[in-house]
Amino acid sequence: MHLFLRISTKMMRLRKRTIGLIILIFIVLSASIAYLIEPGTFHSWFNAFYWVMTTMATVGYGDYFAETVVGKLFTMFLYIFGIGLLSLVIGKVIDSIAEVQRRRGAGTLSFRGKDHVILINWSKKAQAAVEEILCYSPKCHIVIIDETGSHPLEHMDQVHFISGDASSDEILLKANIHEARAAIVFGDTRIDEASLIDGKSLLIASSIERIAPQVHTTVEIMQEKNIQNFRHVQVNEFVLSHDAISRLAVRSALQEGNSEVITQLLSRKYGDDIYEIPVNTTWKTYGDAFQSLLLQGATLLADRSDLSINRKLDQAIPKDARLYVVSDEATYRRIKG
């Protein structure tokens, strides 16, 4: 027993691949020995291999069993060492699963997927962004990068967490930035100075642009005067922090009900939404598109950022037009074809 404990202790320290190789060799040798001891019982090496596996797994169907004294002694050997080895493997597998879960919670695992959205700097706004993304695309994978040491949404399988400084190449590569669909940089509100918050966001945006310029990057900016500092890194979109909230509050105060309409357009959770639709080749003017879409239950809203197309209904639709409509999801899918 003391010898068995010493052997088990030493094997627990071995690497998983080494243990796997040892067990494979042990099973193959055991099957060969069993067949050599009682060829008349097993008839083939495969049957001996099958018997070794069922014995080690403590299944023991009884269709094959040792009949000689030597065979029975070898069976006892399998009971002691074989079952012990199998238990060791099961323990290692459980330990591996626990280790993966621990590393996932600590944010040290790399993300290998693609077409994901990366959220940088965890906050209540980032949490709201997670909910909004999953409303738009329930199967979308999200990667959160933050300098905290624990996963903020560990219960959500679709949300991966990476702990570290998002301006670091190593951390961005762990998030598989090259295969990402988009990246959103939220201001780190744990920093007191607004200018320092924007400085950190600028550093992160610069790193993303240098490593993966093709990724659509949106940055939250605390001070409007700092927008010009982001121009040279070619950030795709800017969101001025608190600006939308302030404007929404004013509209709510001065025009009752106005805020409810805007809220519906801002969030997928409420009412209709804004969708980009393909341009139909039969549409020659904005008026053609407007009337056709209206009959289908959608309202033409804009061409790119131009919201004045309802005053240009007689104008031809340009080749590079990107039309946006307001509708429900079912109507959008029907129009899209």
Side-chain angles (χ1 to χ4, degrees):
M1 180 63 70
H2 180 67
L3 177 62
F4 177 73
L5 289 174
R6 287 182 61 186
I7 294 173
S8 298
T9 302
K10 289 184 177 181
M11 290 197 68
M12 286 293 289
R13 297 172 183 170
L14 295 175
R15 293 182 177 179
K16 298 178 182 66
R17 290 183 180 179
T18 305
I19 292 175
L21 182 61
I22 290 172
I23 291 176
L24 179 62
I25 294 172
F26 179 84
I27 292 172
V28 171
L29 285 176
S30 297
S32 301
I33 292 170
Y35 181 59
L36 289 173
I37 293 173
E38 296 194 19
T41 299
F42 299 110
H43 305 296
S44 69
W45 181 89
F46 180 79
N47 289 337
F49 174 78
Y50 163 78
W51 172 77
V52 169
M53 292 296 294
T54 56
T55 301
M56 288 179 62
T58 68
V59 178
Y61 293 114
D63 45 355
Y64 294 102
F65 55 89
E67 298 178 354
T68 65
V69 174
V70 177
K72 290 177 180 178
L73 288 172
F74 184 67
T75 303
M76 294 170 64
F77 169 79
L78 283 181
Y79 285 153
I80 297 172
F81 287 94
I83 295 174
L85 282 174
L86 189 61
S87 300
L88 183 63
V89 172
I90 294 173
K92 283 289 186 181
V93 170
I94 293 174
D95 287 344
S96 297
I97 295 173
E99 176 65 14
V100 169
Q101 285 297 107
R102 186 196 67 78
R103 292 186 62 192
R104 180 177 184 271
T108 58
L109 286 178
S110 297
F111 182 75
R112 303 299 182 190
K114 60 181 181 178
D115 293 328
H116 53 292
V117 178
I118 299 175
L119 304 181
I120 298 172
N121 293 325
W122 181 249
S123 63
K124 288 292 185 181
K125 286 177 281 189
Q127 185 172 357
V130 170
E131 296 172 359
E132 192 69 21
I133 290 168
L134 294 179
C135 280
Y136 270 94
S137 181
K139 295 183 180 180
C140 180
H141 286 273
I142 301 169
V143 177
I144 297 169
I145 301 178
D146 193 68
E147 293 183 51
T148 56
S150 59
H151 198 315
L153 297 173
E154 195 167 358
H155 62 284
M156 300 180 69
D157 294 335
Q158 285 177 256
V159 181
H160 190 89
F161 171 63
I162 292 177
S163 177
D165 181 3
S167 64
S168 165
D169 290 9
E170 179 186 359
I171 297 301
L172 289 174
L173 292 175
K174 271 190 173 183
N176 199 13
I177 186 69
H178 291 292
E179 301 288 340
R181 174 180 175 182
I184 304 175
V185 182
F186 290 98
D188 190 348
T189 53
R190 290 164 293 196
I191 301 174
D192 294 331
E193 289 288 334
S195 58
L196 295 179
I197 295 175
D198 285 346
K200 180 179 179 180
S201 298
L202 176 60
L203 187 61
I204 294 170
S206 298
S207 297
I208 295 173
E209 175 62 25
R210 176 171 49 82
I211 297 174
Q214 78 283 0
V215 174
H216 187 282
T217 307
T218 303
V219 180
E220 177 190 19
I221 299 175
M222 308 305 291
Q223 296 180 317
E224 188 173 6
K225 65 179 183 179
N226 292 327
I227 291 180
Q228 59 184 349
N229 297 325
F230 287 80
R231 297 296 185 189
H232 72 279
V233 296
Q234 298 180 350
V235 171
N236 298 94
E237 306 282 349
F238 299 100
V239 177
L240 191 59
S241 183
H242 309 305
D243 181 67
I245 296 174
S246 300
R247 294 178 185 276
L248 193 60
V250 171
R251 287 178 178 272
S252 178
L254 300 181
Q255 299 180 17
E256 185 178 350
N258 194 310
S259 62
E260 294 182 7
V261 176
I262 297 173
T263 299
Q264 288 190 38
L265 297 178
L266 286 175
S267 177
R268 182 68 175 272
K269 294 181 181 179
Y270 311 103
D272 288 358
D273 204 354
I274 298 175
Y275 298 95
E276 181 180 358
I277 59 160
V279 178
N280 193 311
T281 54
T282 62
W283 300 338
K284 303 303 180 183
T285 65
Y286 287 124
D288 295 338
F290 187 89
Q291 294 298 331
S292 175
L293 291 168
L294 196 62
L295 291 174
Q296 298 179 69
T299 303
L300 182 61
L301 181 67
D303 179 0
R304 296 180 184 269
S305 60
D306 185 3
L307 289 169
S308 64
I309 60 173
N310 62 332
R311 297 189 295 273
K312 303 175 182 178
L313 297 181
D314 59 336
Q315 291 187 15
I317 299 175
K319 293 181 179 179
D320 60 346
R322 294 181 62 181
L323 302 183
Y324 292 89
V325 299
V326 176
S327 72
D328 60 12
E329 185 175 0
T331 302
Y332 161 69
R333 294 190 180 281
R334 187 169 62 251
I335 293 171
K336 192 176 179 181

